[in-house]
Amino acid sequence: EGGGPSDEAGLRRGDVITAVGSVETVSYGDLLGALRDYPPGDTINLSIARDGDAREIEVQLGERLQQ
């Protein structure tokens, strides 16, 4: 989402999150489960795959607003 934590950290459409901290993610459920371990405001490292390259991105988590 534009202006959200992932946007501010530099994540792009098409990036694949492969790990949250040291926890490997192979599915959307894995990603959500790993993110539940951190409260809003924490800064975490994400491992991502972008255009065939592995990268690390630091993200400060925000609070998800219900719509």
Side-chain angles (χ1 to χ4, degrees):
E1 186 172 316
S6 60
D7 184 43
E8 291 175 13
L11 283 172
R12 299 180 189 166
R13 183 178 300 271
D15 286 350
V16 177
I17 299 171
T18 57
V20 176
S22 62
V23 177
E24 184 178 342
T25 58
V26 293
S27 70
Y28 185 69
D30 290 344
L31 175 61
L32 290 179
L35 290 174
R36 285 190 189 107
D37 291 338
Y38 301 94
D42 271 8
T43 299
I44 61 170
N45 289 318
L46 298 179
S47 299
I48 65 165
R50 178 185 292 163
D51 300 326
D53 294 323
R55 299 173 186 234
E56 295 263 334
I57 293 183
E58 191 172 86
V59 179
Q60 182 176 12
L61 298 176
E63 189 165 347
R64 184 177 176 140
L65 301 176
Q66 299 295 324
Q67 295 186 23

